């Protein structure tokens, strides 16, 4: 009256190992998908570029352009920017507002922005202020920081390595548990 499949110790090995293989493949695929998503370059930290009595302007090179953030110098109340125009090396560049309140200035590929003068006209509270400065010499082609880009790549590679290592540990544990059960 006993089930012959339960008496045989090897009856469940094929289904368990197949399930374990599928689990491992799914984990590895998700690791690569997450790694690819995380491998996008992180935004460089914003650095002070110019300031006035009322405002401070911070900038950071990003892929394809520059990110600008305008804040009150005192930092007490949030600043509502009505209008922002940018001139880099005397040439007007379009700026678009981002959801977080920062501004993005697109730059053509291969443009050398290092050391170029930048003038930003900010309209706020019924007045217009002109903030000017020079783009950092650490910026290379297309406004991407040459020193920061290598740190970002190194950081993203470390992140991917840790994801793969964690998934490998989980896969080994799943294999070990499935062999003990069967």
């Amino acid at each position: 009256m006993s089930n012959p499949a339960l008496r045989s110790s090897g009856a469940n090995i094929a289904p368990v190992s197949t399930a374990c293989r599928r689990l491992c493949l799914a984990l590895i695929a998700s690791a690569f998908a997450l790694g690819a998503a995380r491998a996008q370059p992180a935004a460089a930290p914003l650095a002070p570029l110019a300031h006035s009595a009322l405002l401070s302007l911070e900038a950071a090179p990003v892929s394809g352009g520059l990110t600008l953030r305008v804040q009150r110098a005192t930092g007490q109340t949030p600043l509502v920017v009505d209008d922002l125009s940018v001139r880099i090396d005397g040439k007007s560049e379009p700026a678009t507002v981002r959801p977080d309140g920062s501004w993005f200035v697109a730059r053509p590929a291969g443009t050398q922005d290092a050391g170029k003068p930048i003038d930003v006209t900010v309209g706020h509270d019924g007045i217009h202020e002109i903030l000017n400065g020079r783009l950092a010499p650490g910026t290379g082609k297309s406004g991407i920081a040459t020193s920061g880009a290598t740190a970002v790549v190194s950081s993203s590679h470390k992140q991917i390595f840790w994801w793969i290592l964690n998934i490998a540990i989980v896969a080994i544990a799943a294999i070990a548990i499935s062999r003990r059960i069967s």
Side-chain angles (χ1 to χ4, degrees):
M1 301 274 187
S2 66
N3 188 349
L6 294 176
R7 281 187 273 142
S8 172
S9 63
N12 289 331
I13 291 177
V16 170
S17 63
T18 303
C20 184
R21 283 188 194 128
R22 288 181 183 165
L23 175 65
C24 291
L25 288 174
L27 288 173
I28 290 170
S30 65
F32 283 117
L34 288 173
R38 297 240 183 216
Q40 299 297 325
L46 295 168
L49 181 66
H51 65 87
S52 69
L54 297 175
L55 302 177
S56 67
L57 174 66
E58 298 173 328
V62 294
S63 179
L66 297 169
T67 296
L68 302 174
R69 181 177 307 276
V70 183
Q71 297 176 340
R72 291 193 189 275
T74 58
Q76 295 173 351
T77 58
L79 178 69
V80 177
V81 177
D82 301 323
D83 181 38
L84 187 124
S85 62
V86 178
R87 296 180 65 84
I88 298 177
D89 203 23
K91 183 181 174 199
S92 182
E93 300 290 340
T96 55
V97 68
R98 290 185 166 175
D100 65 352
S102 65
W103 294 77
F104 177 74
V105 179
R107 301 295 295 146
T111 303
Q112 295 286 338
D113 288 335
K116 288 185 178 178
I118 182 170
D119 299 321
V120 179
T121 304
V122 181
H124 68 96
D125 301 326
I127 60 172
H128 282 79
E129 287 192 56
I130 299 175
L131 302 169
N132 44 9
R134 288 203 173 269
L135 293 173
T139 59
K141 292 185 179 186
S142 298
I144 299 172
T146 54
S147 62
T150 56
V152 168
V153 169
S154 174
S155 174
S156 65
H157 281 142
K158 287 180 186 177
Q159 182 70 29
I160 292 170
F161 170 75
W162 282 112
W163 274 97
I164 292 171
L165 181 65
N166 286 336
I167 290 171
I169 290 170
V170 169
I172 291 170
I175 291 169
I177 290 171
S178 69
R179 288 190 179 175
R180 282 189 181 175
I181 292 173
S182 59

